[in-house]
Structures are given as C-alpha cells and as structure tokens.
Amino acid sequence: MQTPENRSKCRSRVLISGASGGLGKAFAVECASRGWDLFLTDMNAPALETLAAGLRRSYNVDVITHACDLTDLDARLALFERIRVNSLRFWCLVNVAGIDYEGPFFEQSSQQIRTILRLNIESTLDITHAMLKFRDPCATFRIINVASLAAFYPMPVKATYAASKRFLLDFSLALREEVRSMGATVTVLCPAGMPTTPLCIEAIEAQGWMGHITTMDTGRVADKTLNAALAGRPMVIPGWVNRTLQLLGSIVPARLVAALVGSRWKSAQQKRSLDKQPAMP
Amino acid sequence: METRISEKTVVVTGATSGIGLAVAEELVRSGASVIGIGRSAERCAAAQAGLHRLNPEPWVAYLTADLSVQGEVRGLGNQVRDLLDTWNRQALDGLVNNAGTFSYWLTLTADGVELQWAVNHLAAFLLTNTLLPMLQAAPLARVVTVSSGSHYNARLDWNDLQLRRHYNGLQAYGNTKLANILFTREMNRRLGEESTVRAFAADPGLVKTDIGMKGTPGIVSWVWKLRRSGGITAAEAARGICYLLTEPSIQDVPSSYWKHGQPKAASHEAQNCLNAARLWKISSQMCGLPVEECYANA
C-alpha cells in the first residue's frame, strides 16, 4: 500500500516560484485541485505556510515549501541543494516570481533596477537551468514562464520591466526549440494586468474601461495556461482583446507604440495621483 | 428551562456595521450580552462604545479576527470561551453568522480559497463547528446564518464550487448564500430532532448596507447605491434575525429558511438534502475538520 511518505518520494512534482502572490497562488491552487504534488517557493514565509496548509487540507496533495529570496545567489544554491539532497523530481516548472517598481527609469533607485533584472531574468534562467537537471525522466517536462503583455511593446514608465519580460519571451521561444529533443516543452504566458493585489486593482481602475476589458481573472488564466502547457503550446495570451492588442503591436512600428503607450500611462498616472489627493473643501 | 434574555450571550460576526451592528444593538437594548466579531480593531472599539452608550447593563465585548483566514476563525473558539469564563457564563445561547463580503474580481485568501466562498460560507461553517460545544451547553441555543434572496438564482457547480474558472462576482455571491441554507439544513439534520441547538437561515430582504461597495469598481457600487435606495433599514432587518434568535415557540418548526420572522420556501436547489450532505463533507475537508463527524447523538 502507498503511504503518504513513499508516495511523496516517488511522485514527481510541480515547482512554482512566487507562489504566495496573486498569480502564483492561482497556479498553486489550480495545480493542487488537479491533484498534483507541489514544491512552492516565495519570499513571504508565513504566507507560504498558510497557503500550503490550505492546499493540503482542501485537496489532500503533498506540498513542500521553501521560503527564500530568489534574487540572492546563495539562497538559490541552497534551494537546489535541498532538492538534490532529498532527490526530488519534477515534471513541471512554473516561473511566476517577478517584480516591477512602476515609475520613470530615472526616478527608480539603482537597487530597484538591479532587483528587477535579478528576479525577472537572472533567477528565472538559473532555476530553469537547474530544474532541467532535476526533471522526471519518465515524463514530459513542462516549463511555464510568465512574461507579460508588456513583452510585446516598449513601455514608458515600465521600461525595465517590459524589456525584462521581452527577454523572457524571446528566451522561452528559443529554449522551446532547444529542449524539444529532450522531451520538454516551454510555454510562455503573456497576461495583461490582473486583479491580484489592492494596488493592482487600483491600477486597473485607473486605466478606466481599457483596464477592465484587458483584465482577466487569475483563476481562469492559470487554468488556461496549464491546459496549454499540457498541450505543448508555445504561447498563451489570455483574452481576445489582449490578442488583438498584441497583433496591433506587431504591425505598428515600435517607436509609435512607445509614444502611444506613454501618453496613455501618463494620463492614468495623473488620474491616480489626483485620486490620492484629499478632496477640495 | 428558559433563560431570561438578560442572561443570554450571543456571538455576532461582522458586528461593526450594517445588519450585524443592528442585531447587536437590538440584543443589547433588550439586555442580552453580546460578543461582536469584526476585522478592524478601530471599528470594533467604536461599535463597542456605541453599544455601551445604548445600554451599559449587559456585557459587551469585541474580538478582532479576519474571517477569511481559517486559522483566525479557529482561534476565536478559545477567545470566546475565555470571555464566557470572565463573565462567569457557562454557555452560548446564540450565534449569528452575519459577516459577508462581495468581490467583483476573483480574489484568493491566504489559504487559497475564493474570498466570498471563504468569508460567506466557510467561515460560518467553521465558526459554528468551533463554537458548537458551547452552544450545546445552553438549555436552548440558536444559530442564525444570514442568507439572501440572491440564492434563488444560484446553482452549485460541483466541479468548480468557487468559480475559479468562470468567475462572476454576483454568481459567486448567490452560491455562497445557497451554501448558507444547505449548511443550515444539514446541520439540523445532523443534530437531530431532540437537539437543543437549532439552526436557521435568515433572508434579511434588501437592506441599505454597504455590501455592494466592498471590492467593486465604480459602476457596480453606483448600481448598488441606486438599488439599495428601495431597501429597508438594517434595524428592520435585525428584528427578523433577533426573532429567530430568541423566540422559543419556533424550536420545532421544521422550516430552515425565514424572512422577516416568517418561514419561506427556499429555492429548489436549497431543498436538496443530497446536496446539503455533499456540501457538508466538502466544507469539512476544506476546513480540516474530520469528514465523517456526525452530531446526531449529541
């Protein structure tokens, strides 16, 4: 008979980074509801523990948590060491961890810019490289990278973030061809804004009707993306409005798109800063 | 056998505003002791001060807890017991599962549960189960869960109870209110006819509260403001709930669903006892309670 202990040893898992944030949590819940065993990492240790306990309770799956700061090389090495020592195996990797400090480039601190690059690019590549070693030899290895709709355009006010997501988009599409012969697939997710935190919801509201029609629920996005990854599809853009925007973005010259996006975001930002000011007496 | 109203103790969730506060006011006015539960310490303190001004006689206390977090709901068990000990009371005579929320977008709680499902249904389910031993210690106790007429359009999708794949705020709200009634029915069935604890689901009608303003974008709260202008006041709604809490003669009335102190037929879906049993099992699992627990002989 299978006990939980030996089951947890012989079943390969899904690794999700940034698992206690909005989209990461949605992926974790979706995977757990499909009965898949998990390995979750995030910076926020208490939130990670609460989520893992909830998933074990609700879906009776095996969940391992590892709280760490992925921008730190030593922390990443410790993570890989733990996986190696426990001889864990994975059949799916979901790279969700990512960050953006919105604001004009020169107003951001150099520390913030380094963090964006380290988390969005360096750590994602590092984890993908390591996990290819720890993949389950008996299964097709599914990699899901979370880019963004921002990956398709140069975006003023989110310049570093959008460019880092472009990096992930191109990298994912190229890697997909490389790892095909290893029995692995790469799916890149390019979502628009999602209502994950009060701050995100505020940002969506500030964009007005445009924000509303481009926004999709995290639950549906996670569900669709996992189905697409299982089918081995290269790219997921949730929502037909967003697909149309992507198409337009690929036809219109990049510098024109940048100017257009810039004017939209500037007005949205102005509206938000106006909202924050106390009402006139 | 009967406890006088001034010796009764009632727990009310979401008791800092709206229907919950009105129920607490009504209870305090009639001399009952109240343990209110709210999310913000600030609003709890304000509500407590208000109740004290209304009638300084009975005991009134507020406990702060975020009902969307199951750990905090579980923690309320010991806190309520401690309060009863300090007031020298042996039992709880009532629990009002009133706290409810609305969310336009799919939002997941810290436990990974859809927000409305967690607060409107699971928190009521878990808190009732946690406080049940204290309720059973009373000669007569009532559990009133505030449901809503929005349950009439609801139908549970057993493959996606929390609507994670096709989320619609209003539909999710209706589902949780349907779940409130199914929970109430199954609880009564499990407790058995001889039980001193009786559960009711109350339909408060359309009440002028701020529920449609919680986590909604501009246009939705505007529609809600327009709609609620035709509603009744929270105090009127509270009267129906207090009736269910205190009226001794309705103990043996089989109806689980009540509106303004009158039994009412709930929707077809809400009367399906197989659904009720199924929901109870799933909810137990989601809250980490023993799945086959049964109170028939309690």
Side-chain angles (χ1 to χ4, degrees), chain A residues 25 30 57 59 217 220, chain B residues 70 106 109 164-165 285:
Chain A
K25 202 194 285 175
E30 190 57 44
R57 219 169 26 226
Y59 303 106
D217 279 316
R220 200 181 312 182
Chain B
Q70 289 183 12
L106 175 103
T109 68
R164 280 200 315 272
R165 282 162 208 173
Q285 196 182 357

Side-chain angles (χ1 to χ4, degrees), chain A residues 89-91 130-139 141 182-184:
Chain A
R89 283 291 172 270
F90 296 85
W91 69 269
M131 285 305 132
L132 278 166
K133 279 185 294 197
F134 298 127
R135 71 182 191 276
D136 180 355
C138 309
F141 189 60
M182 299 163 61

Side-chain angles (χ1 to χ4, degrees), chain B residues 158-210:
Chain B
W158 297 98
N159 291 321
D160 191 10
L161 275 176
Q162 306 169 44
L163 300 180
R164 280 200 315 272
R165 282 162 208 173
H166 298 284
Y167 191 77
N168 172 307
L170 277 176
Q171 198 188 339
Y173 183 78
N175 282 357
T176 62
K177 293 297 151 185
L178 171 59
N180 288 151
I181 305 173
L182 291 172
F183 153 65
T184 301
R185 290 176 58 95
E186 178 66 6
M187 171 140 176
N188 285 332
R189 192 189 69 78
R190 285 183 173 239
L191 288 169
E193 282 175 12
E194 302 301 309
S195 169
T196 50
V197 182
R198 185 88 163 82
F200 296 109
D203 177 354
L206 181 66
V207 188
K208 289 174 184 153
T209 65
D210 288 337

